[in-house]
Amino acid sequence: MPFSIALAGKGGTGKTTVAGLLIKYLVKMNKTPILAVDADSNVNLNEVLGLKVADTLGNAREEMKKGVVPGGMTKDVFISMKLQQAIVEDDGFDLIVMGQPEGSGCYCAANTLLINFLDKLVGNYPYIVMDNEAGMEHISRLTTNNVDILLAGFRRP
Ligand SMILES: Nc1ncnc2c1ncn2[C@@H]1O[C@H](COP(=O)(O)OP(=O)(O)OP(=O)(O)O)[C@@H](O)[C@H]1O
Ligand SMILES: [Mg+2]
């Protein structure tokens, strides 16, 4: 299992900035490869890291749900290909962007496939840094599973 650090908490408290600095610090310390995860639907961790986003997992899931799987390709192969396309590689770390959350309707099949592939993917990295969107849900629901360190941003009342 990788060592996982997640950022959560109030809006504008510096989650994304700290995530970016942490990733750069871990690279400098040779704790590589690191998987950087942008789990904020308002994607911007890439900007702090100076990268362009290729695709998002949300798009892959959407396409799979709509059945836009090219002929002759199983859903398994399709989602694995889309996942590979959504990974941006850089020196010492890779970035993966979650994108928009699911809309209405049933995403169970797509989600199951995604989770299986993500489980396999994270096994390749000793460190994961996950930037979340503003809100306390990540803390109360612990959506960010298996987190070793949770950094939470708060504002003084
Ligand atoms: N330590 C700091 N001192 C001063 N300004 C900072 C500091 N950390 C971040 N900022 C600035 O505060 C703003 C918000 O930072 P950032 O985007 O990292 O917050 P966030 O918690 O990720 O926000 P959001 O909830 O919108 O995702 C940015 O303009 C950033 O440059
Ligand atoms: Mg942010």
Side-chain angles (χ1 to χ4, degrees), residues 80-132:
S80 140
M81 183 192 80
K82 294 297 288 186
L83 243 175
Q84 285 306 320
Q85 286 173 358
I87 299 172
V88 183
E89 295 178 8
D90 203 81
D91 266 356
F93 70 92
D94 292 347
L95 170 70
I96 194 150
V97 177
M98 307 304 275
Q100 289 296 317
E102 60 196 41
S104 57
C106 180
Y107 283 78
C108 307
N111 279 339
T112 306
L113 278 177
L114 260 185
I115 288 165
N116 286 343
F117 278 103
L118 277 177
D119 276 350
K120 269 190 226 155
L121 180 76
V122 298
N124 300 331
Y125 302 87
Y127 287 89
I128 296 184
V129 176
M130 186 192 271
D131 182 29
N132 287 294

Side-chain angles (χ1 to χ4, degrees), residues 20-43:
L21 289 172
L22 257 173
I23 291 159
K24 299 216 158 154
Y25 174 77
L26 289 170
V27 170
K28 209 171 167 188
M29 293 291 127
N30 286 320
K31 306 286 187 191
T32 56
I34 301 146
L35 180 64
V37 181
D38 190 346
D40 187 342
S41 58
N42 187 2
V43 176

Side-chain angles (χ1 to χ4, degrees), residues 128-146:
I128 296 184
V129 176
M130 186 192 271
D131 182 29
N132 287 294
E133 68 186 68
M136 296 294 142
E137 301 82 28
H138 310 288
I139 300 170
S140 56
R141 278 199 274 130
L142 285 178
T143 34
T144 34
N145 278 335
N146 302 319

Side-chain angles (χ1 to χ4, degrees), residues 9-18 40 42 44 131-134:
K10 289 281 188 190
T13 51
K15 298 180 291 297
T16 305
T17 307
V18 172
D40 187 342
N42 187 2
N44 65 352
D131 182 29
N132 287 294
E133 68 186 68

Side-chain angles (χ1 to χ4, degrees), residues 17-76:
T17 307
V18 172
L21 289 172
L22 257 173
I23 291 159
K24 299 216 158 154
Y25 174 77
L26 289 170
V27 170
K28 209 171 167 188
M29 293 291 127
N30 286 320
K31 306 286 187 191
T32 56
I34 301 146
L35 180 64
V37 181
D38 190 346
D40 187 342
S41 58
N42 187 2
V43 176
N44 65 352
L45 179 60
N46 63 296
E47 286 167 21
V48 172
L49 296 168
L51 296 175
K52 277 212 169 82
V53 172
D55 208 347
T56 72
L57 294 190
N59 283 345
R61 179 172 57 189
E62 211 56 52
E63 285 177 30
M64 213 183 77
K65 182 168 175 273
K66 283 190 198 134
V68 208
V69 179
M73 203 181 257
T74 63
K75 283 191 169 180
D76 239 50

